[in-house]
């Protein structure tokens, strides 16, 4: 066995990485709307047919890149209490998702996603982060809502407002949602 042998998936992973990098670089250089498959292929050092075979079309490629960009890079911060952990996470989520780049990634993730897989993946990212926060709280002896309650009462209204009613959306709104899910009786 020669040292040149690559593990299965090695080339595929390299192709994905180089194409994703090309998309991000070109989008910042020429703008997302000017992107073409041949332009991306040339920058990535692959043939356009490689991109069409793997992603189908430009929209599916942009969708794949968007889902990758929406993946959280770090675990949620530990601020010592459920309310502060969840508040900090919700404020950061709002900040990232409501930015022009965040909104564009959300749109791209959903546009090239006829079967709903990307939406499910993006939802899973949020659920994983919330699970970390709730698990930490439980380990500290704090009682809290379940993941679905946080998704329904914090993430869902934030995403709705980000996508459809962004005016007046601020950190105070995110804090009110967290307060309401942690204290549904309003005590």
């Amino acid at each position: 066995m020669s040292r040149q042998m690559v593990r299965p998936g090695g080339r595929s992973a390299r192709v994905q990485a180089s194409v994703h990098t090309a998309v991000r670089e070109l989008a910042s250089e020429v703008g997302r709307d000017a992107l073409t498959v041949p332009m991306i292929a040339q920058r990535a050092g692959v043939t356009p047919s490689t991109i069409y075979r793997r992603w189908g079309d430009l929209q599916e490629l942009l969708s794949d890149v968007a889902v990758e960009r929406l993946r959280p890079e770090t675990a949620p911060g530990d601020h010592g209490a459920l309310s502060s952990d969840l508040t900090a996470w919700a404020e950061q989520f709002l900040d990232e998702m409501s930015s022009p780049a965040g909104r564009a990634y959300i749109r791209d993730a959903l546009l090239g996603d006829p079967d709903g897989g990307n939406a499910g993946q993006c939802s899973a990212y949020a659920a994983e982060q919330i699970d970390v926060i709730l698990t930490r709280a439980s380990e500290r002896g704090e009682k809290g809502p379940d993941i679905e309650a946080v998704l329904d009462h914090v993430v869902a209204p934030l995403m709705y407002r980000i996508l459809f009613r962004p005016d007046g959306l601020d950190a105070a709104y995110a804090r009110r949602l967290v307060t309401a899910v942690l204290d549904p009786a309003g005590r």
Side-chain angles (χ1 to χ4, degrees):
M1 185 133 120
S2 87
R3 291 168 121 180
Q4 300 295 334
M5 296 265 306
V6 290
R7 59 183 169 66
R11 178 177 187 280
S12 177
R14 283 196 307 278
V15 166
Q16 178 175 336
S18 65
V19 170
H20 277 219
T21 299
V23 168
R24 290 193 304 272
E25 289 173 354
L26 288 165
S28 70
E29 290 167 22
V30 302
R32 182 202 165 288
D33 294 338
L35 295 179
T36 65
V37 169
M39 179 192 298
I40 294 164
Q42 182 178 9
R43 173 69 61 96
V46 300
T47 63
S49 62
T50 298
I51 292 176
Y52 289 120
R53 236 188 348 270
R54 174 145 186 177
W55 284 280
D57 62 21
L58 179 61
Q59 189 59 64
E60 284 190 41
L61 169 57
L62 293 176
S63 189
D64 190 43
V65 170
V67 170
E68 190 59 36
R69 299 303 286 167
L70 291 168
R71 177 195 307 269
E73 293 176 8
T74 59
D78 186 347
H79 304 276
L82 174 56
S83 62
S84 43
D85 286 357
L86 196 54
T87 299
W89 181 84
E91 288 177 359
Q92 182 180 349
F93 180 85
L94 172 60
D95 195 45
E96 290 173 2
M97 296 298 165
S98 65
S99 70
R103 289 166 52 93
Y105 287 136
I106 293 166
R107 281 193 302 273
D108 277 341
L110 300 178
L111 277 172
D113 186 30
D115 65 358
N118 290 345
Q121 185 58 60
C122 292
S123 178
Y125 294 154
E128 287 164 14
Q129 295 260 301
I130 292 161
D131 186 40
V132 168
I133 292 168
L134 297 176
T135 300
R136 265 192 217 137
S138 175
E139 288 166 356
R140 289 190 293 251
E142 292 180 87
K143 295 249 185 281
D146 64 12
I147 294 172
E148 289 301 316
V150 177
L151 287 171
D152 288 347
H153 298 283
V154 178
V155 179
L158 284 175
M159 285 302 285
Y160 180 84
R161 291 288 304 267
I162 288 165
L163 290 172
F164 302 114
R165 293 188 58 217
D167 290 348
L169 192 52
D170 58 14
Y173 177 71
R175 287 192 295 272
R176 286 193 304 275
L177 293 174
V178 170
T179 298
V181 79
L182 292 181
D183 185 13
R187 289 179 301 258

